Amino acid sequence: RFIDIRCKAVEEGGSGPTKPLPKSAEAVVIGGGSLGCQTVYHLAKMGMTNVVLLERDRLTAGTTWHTAGLLWQLRPSDVEVELLAHTRQVISHDLEQETGLETGWIQNGGLFIASNKQRLDEYKRLMSLGKVYGIESHVLSPAETKDLYPLMNVDDLYGTLYVPKDGTMDPAGTCTTLSRAATARGATVIENCPVTGIQVSTDDMGVKRVKAVETLHGTIQTPVVVNCAGVWAAKLGEMAGVKVPLVAMHHAYVVTERIEGIQNMPNVRDHDASVYLRLQGDALSVGGYEQNPVFWDKVSDKFAFSLFDLDWDVFMQHIEGAINRVPALEQTGIKSTVCGPESFTADHKPLMGEAPEVRGFFLGCGFNSAGMMLGGGCGRELAHWIIHGRPEKDMYGYDIRRFHHSLTDNNKWIRERSHESYAKNYSVVFPFDEPLASRNMRTDPFHKVLTEQGCVFQERHGWERPGWFNQDGAAPVLDYDWYGAYDISKNQNYKYNELLGKEYTFDYPPHHHVIKNECLTCRHGVSVFNMSYFGKFYLTGPDAKKAADWLFSADVNKIPGSTVYTCMLNKRGGSEADLTVSRLEAGAANLPLAPEGDAYYLAIGGGVAEHNWNHIKTVLQDEGLNCQLTDYSEDMGMISIQGPKSREVLQEILDTDLSNEAFPFSTHKVCNAVRAMRLSFVGELGWELHIPKDSCLPVYQAVMAAGAKHSIINAGYRAIDSLSIEKGYRHWHADLRPDDTPLEAGLAFTCKMKSTIPFLGRASLEKQKAEGLRRRIVCFTIDEKVPMFGLEAIFRNGVPVGHLRRSDYGFFIDKQIGYGYIRNPDGGVVNADFIKSGKFTLERMGVVYEAKPHLKSPFDPSNNRVKGIYPDNYHNVYKANAQ
């Protein structure tokens, strides 16, 4: 197959472009692989017909031509399941209907191999999620697996997951058909036309925008460039001053000679052996992911339909795994080896969306050898992004803006994290895993003192934030050891890694009781949370008030000293962010910024701060508003003191009256050179202290000293996860995403709908409100003490209506809690009666549990605790119980 493709390309190859270049285009897609062809096809299908695809050689010449072309329908992500479903629909049905041409799709099924209980549990999780999307799958015993695949060794199997409608795609056939379908709709596909430059202009507001694409054969004026250049994407980015954080690695498979009896067998993924077996007629392709991949550091522009020599020392581990699974391979020859370049990223997710540096420069690259599989879904989302400004689905996990700008040109971070993601590609996806590569990139002033107190840190896009506090001493994160690859010594007696290893379970972790203590101390006494990783932005300037009205769904223009919880929406009413906005008094002293005129302080979850920053900047640019957005995230720390005893602790160290009357909920004051905000993300009486960097440790030490007699403790984000779900507070990108509106998410109170003030997304919300909600979030509790993590299927009267987005244990109510969005299977409105009248169950790993739906949080639904209203004898009862 590959010899045929390469020979055909050489025969067809020419010195000049295959078509004349137009003078202008609405968009120019660069790169004729899977993503480029899918993107131009979907752009044309959505009505953008004056679109050009430029390929420097022939279609698929870079990395697509040699890809294995496997398509698995089930992944541990609802969005990815939807993306894969669209690819399958395009490849197996739509293209043939539109063109009359076959794409080469083969539906031979997929088989996931489990050698242990944890692996099979992971597959059972996928099976339950698949039921929500109508994806057929079956858990098979070793004997049933042998019946399905007689050549397989099942002696060491725990079980398998069989997905009958998985299959195999043909890269050449698919891309050829896509280009013909796009051309038929008016798009122009030009081969043999290398791009030599990207022209960028600067507008009157100082914003950089794409202007034109330069080639050896002419220049195309265009406002939009789409970088689908695969391993060459970083070089293309450099032409426009855009950072593209990916690395190129050798990725290989071998094709065997004929194997008797292998015909029509399903494709196999044996994750524990880190190997896949793809059916190729009457032979197999064998490949996988190793811990010592070969980097391709000197990416060549002349590399078309080319391959590397296979490094057998690296590859032999896959052969051994394959022979163990299909013993007939030991007596089978190797017909050909395929070792080509693939691009890999820091989190093994693609890079998509509009680049923060240049408006109109879009990314569709870094697909970690899954470009064929994800191409259809991602091509459609990218086309929607280009035409409408945002994708339809929640693509934050792929959005280039998920990475902080300080990391995207940090070669150490890109290289180490990409290596780890590659090496762990086939590892079980556990809910609380953390990376070991490139840690401690961004630390706050409390990092050292909390490490000494046993803090087990989590990593969120460079930041180290507290996860939970180990009772057995410090567990610092060490320098990356590359898992012992490349002759690098592995870290010995690595306590942090050992603690992570204990989390590798789908049960409650061994330190469940530690997190319980952090939670209940907050509920009954007082805990301190280091939340310094939060994004801390100031919005100022002549148009700041106008910008605040338009950007924020809530009315934040209350009296100075107010702090408001709000969302930021897109045009479709989807939630791009949730945050708090404080309206400032002018000239507040002793802070990093003393504003003049209208000024607002924005506090945003640190993991998504870059996304928020870029959303705000984009909206300001689109509206032509004269504002300044200033980032003080690194210059300030933030600790949150929460619990019934928090007022008593803070009253000792803050020179201001903290009573309900003097300092009500949702207000802030500057005192003792800190900005104190009466807020809670855990549902208790409490304050956040926003502190200039140099004052962080003295303030923390004062809080801990004052809190000692109240048995104050440190607590981390694992406790916040539990406490917040118990209270019913949302986590952005878990139970609140860009494809969820505030009305669906139970956050109508954050929208100034009763006012006449226009805001971004308002028209869509008004329309949705008038028509009634077709989906909405519901809280569920179950009586059994069974851990859930999200993705569990929700059934109403035995019919799947959705899945959990987020789940955690609520220690105060002593129940497992889950939140998920449900739909009416009939397409009707989802109202309170629909929820109350149904019998709900949750399916976890194939086991069904009765679930109780709640329209309000089962914990403190009247919000008394955040108002500081506790039962009169509350503290005495707690003390007695504790003793």
Side-chain angles (χ1 to χ4, degrees), residues 841-855:
T841 54
L842 302 177
E843 181 177 313
R844 169 195 185 268
M845 300 180 188
V847 180
V848 175
Y849 300 89
E850 287 189 17
K852 182 180 179 182
H854 303 266
L855 295 175

Side-chain angles (χ1 to χ4, degrees), residues 671-804:
C671 48
N672 301 75
V674 306
R675 190 180 297 280
M677 297 186 182
R678 186 164 166 200
L679 294 170
S680 180
F681 196 50
V682 297
E684 298 294 337
L685 172 69
W687 280 261
E688 292 176 1
L689 304 183
H690 296 248
I691 315 162
K693 196 172 186 176
D694 293 344
S695 303
C696 281
L697 279 177
V699 170
Y700 171 77
Q701 287 158 354
V703 167
M704 297 308 280
K709 58 178 170 286
H710 302 289
S711 303
I712 195 169
I713 66 165
N714 291 300
Y717 269 83
R718 292 289 284 279
I720 288 177
D721 289 343
S722 167
L723 294 162
S724 61
I725 200 171
E726 193 168 52
K727 176 58 185 155
Y729 291 155
R730 304 286 172 261
H731 272 201
W732 193 83
H733 201 238
D735 42 13
L736 181 66
R737 306 192 312 203
D739 52 345
D740 307 318
T741 73
L743 305 187
E744 295 166 339
L747 297 177
F749 70 91
T750 67
C751 301
K752 48 189 177 238
M753 304 290 278
K754 291 179 182 175
S755 77
T756 58
I757 303 167
F759 61 91
L760 181 57
R762 176 170 185 146
S764 295
L765 294 189
E766 287 174 340
K767 183 172 184 286
Q768 187 179 55
K769 188 177 180 183
E771 293 174 352
L773 297 178
R774 282 347 192 232
R775 61 197 283 274
R776 63 183 286 178
I777 200 165
V778 178
C779 172
F780 297 96
T781 55
I782 61 170
D783 290 332
E784 291 91 343
K785 288 197 166 120
V786 178
M788 295 186 180
F789 308 102
L791 302 183
E792 291 79 12
I794 304 169
F795 292 83
R796 180 184 180 273
N797 299 341
V799 178
V801 291
H803 64 276
L804 294 186

Side-chain angles (χ1 to χ4, degrees), residues 24-46:
S24 64
E26 291 176 87
V28 175
V29 179
I30 301 171
S34 170
L35 255 294
C37 292
Q38 289 278 12
T39 302
V40 78
Y41 164 74
H42 282 93
L43 282 170
K45 201 168 183 178
M46 289 181 192

